């Protein structure tokens, strides 16, 4: 992510992808650490979207959809997209997404646990190898992911989030499940129902009220 931001400041072309064999300081949302041993996919894509700033967080869901499609095609595994920025396999985290925006440029980072052994992962995480895919070509999957992402990015750039929303529905986790969300200083509990056309999570609170939560 840091290298991608530096290249963007130098004016490198939109669509540039930065790829790492491993990361010593991998990071996730809200300052979390992302373990990045060799054998995974760690990449960041540089884009300069012309959509309103409020829509930039939707790019995490575009990347989630693209990664889910690419993994299903290459590894015969069907991850679920957990709003707003994770991919799950059998309920465990297999990939994470981080979107950062600076001065009109957006860098979307993706980390996928590919060949990491289960014993080297937290109990809440898994990898494609643990799910049964032992001989995946990292570069082939990255290339497939890249093509998928820019297909959706071009569509989103012209039509906004609604067509992405429709494509995401079959891949989404959480719907129908009880979720706990912190928003500002408040904590909320309810049942995840859907996404709205801005990519916000619609939750039916215990009071019966339907509320949309922004991913931030």
């Amino acid at each position: 992510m840091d290298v991608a931001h530096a290249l963007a400041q130098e004016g490198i072309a939109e669509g540039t992808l930065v790829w790492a064999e491993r990361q010593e300081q991998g990071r996730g949302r809200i300052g979390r650490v992302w373990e990045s041993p060799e054998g995974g996919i760690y990449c960041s894509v540089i884009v300069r979207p012309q959509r309103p700033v409020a829509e930039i967080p939707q790019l995490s869901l575009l990347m989630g959809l693209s990664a889910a499609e690419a993994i299903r095609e290459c590894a015969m595994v069907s991850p679920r997209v957990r709003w707003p920025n994770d991919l799950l396999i059998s309920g465990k985290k297999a990939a994470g997404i981080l979107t950062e925006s600076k001065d009109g440029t957006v860098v979307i980072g993706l980390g996928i646990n590919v060949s990491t052994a289960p014993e080297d992962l937290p109990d809440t995480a898994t990898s494609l190898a643990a799910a049964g895919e032992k001989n995946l070509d990292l570069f082939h999957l990255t290339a497939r992911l890249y093509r998928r992402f820019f297909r959706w990015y071009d569509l989103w750039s012209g039509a906004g989030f609604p067509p992405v929303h429709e494509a995401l529905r079959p891949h989404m986790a959480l719907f129908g499940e009880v979720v706990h969300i912190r928003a500002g200083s408040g904590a909320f509990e309810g049942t995840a129902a859907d996404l709205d056309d801005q990519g916000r999570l619609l939750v039916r609170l215990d009071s019966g009220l339907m509320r949309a939560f922004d991913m931030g």
Side-chain angles (χ1 to χ4, degrees), residues 48-67:
R48 296 187 176 90
Q50 301 303 306
R51 305 288 307 179
V53 172
E55 297 181 8
I56 297 305
Q58 297 168 5
L59 290 170
S60 290
L61 291 168
L62 265 72
M63 182 61 81
L65 172 61
S66 304

Side-chain angles (χ1 to χ4, degrees), residues 29 57-58 60-61 80-88 161 168 171-175 179-183 192 194-196 198-203 212-216:
R29 290 181 76 240
Q58 297 168 5
S60 290
L61 291 168
R80 311 293 286 176
V81 179
R82 179 173 65 187
W83 182 92
N85 67 325
D86 294 333
L87 266 67
L88 307 180
F161 191 69
L168 262 170
H171 299 279
M172 289 298 295
L174 293 183
F175 293 170
V179 293
H180 303 269
I181 295 179
R182 289 196 172 277
D194 199 351
L195 303 179
D196 69 7
Q198 294 300 312
R200 298 177 298 179
L201 184 65
L202 295 173
V203 177
F213 289 90
D214 198 295
M215 67 186 75

Side-chain angles (χ1 to χ4, degrees), residues 14-198:
E14 181 178 49
T16 297
L17 181 140
V18 179
W19 201 94
E21 291 185 348
R22 64 184 178 92
Q23 297 179 114
E24 295 180 347
Q25 300 179 50
R27 64 177 181 267
R29 290 181 76 240
I30 325 175
R32 297 189 180 105
V33 174
W34 180 265
E35 299 295 337
S36 312
E38 280 194 59
I41 290 176
Y42 315 111
C43 61
S44 299
V45 179
I46 298 168
V47 292
R48 296 187 176 90
Q50 301 303 306
R51 305 288 307 179
V53 172
E55 297 181 8
I56 297 305
Q58 297 168 5
L59 290 170
S60 290
L61 291 168
L62 265 72
M63 182 61 81
L65 172 61
S66 304
E69 291 180 333
I71 290 170
R72 185 174 62 181
E73 291 170 0
C74 295
M76 302 302 290
V77 175
S78 296
R80 311 293 286 176
V81 179
R82 179 173 65 187
W83 182 92
N85 67 325
D86 294 333
L87 266 67
L88 307 180
I89 296 174
S90 300
K92 294 186 175 185
K93 185 170 178 175
I97 299 157
L98 179 64
T99 298
E100 296 178 342
S101 179
K102 295 181 182 179
D103 302 323
T105 296
V106 179
V107 175
I108 307 143
L110 173 69
I112 304 176
N113 297 328
V114 178
S115 60
T116 314
E119 58 268 23
D120 295 328
L121 292 166
D123 290 341
T124 55
T126 189
S127 66
L128 300 186
E133 180 52 65
K134 304 294 186 184
N135 299 302
L136 190 64
D137 186 298
L138 301 181
F139 295 107
H140 178 67
L141 177 54
T142 304
R144 184 67 62 91
L145 164 72
Y146 183 92
R147 289 193 294 269
R148 281 283 179 182
F149 174 77
F150 276 99
R151 172 191 165 196
W152 287 115
Y153 178 74
D154 290 344
L155 183 60
W156 173 82
S157 296
F161 191 69
V164 179
H165 181 192
E166 288 302 311
L168 262 170
R169 276 200 174 98
H171 299 279
M172 289 298 295
L174 293 183
F175 293 170
E177 297 182 14
V178 174
V179 293
H180 303 269
I181 295 179
R182 289 196 172 277
S185 59
F188 302 87
E189 180 178 314
T191 302
D194 199 351
L195 303 179
D196 69 7
D197 279 345
Q198 294 300 312

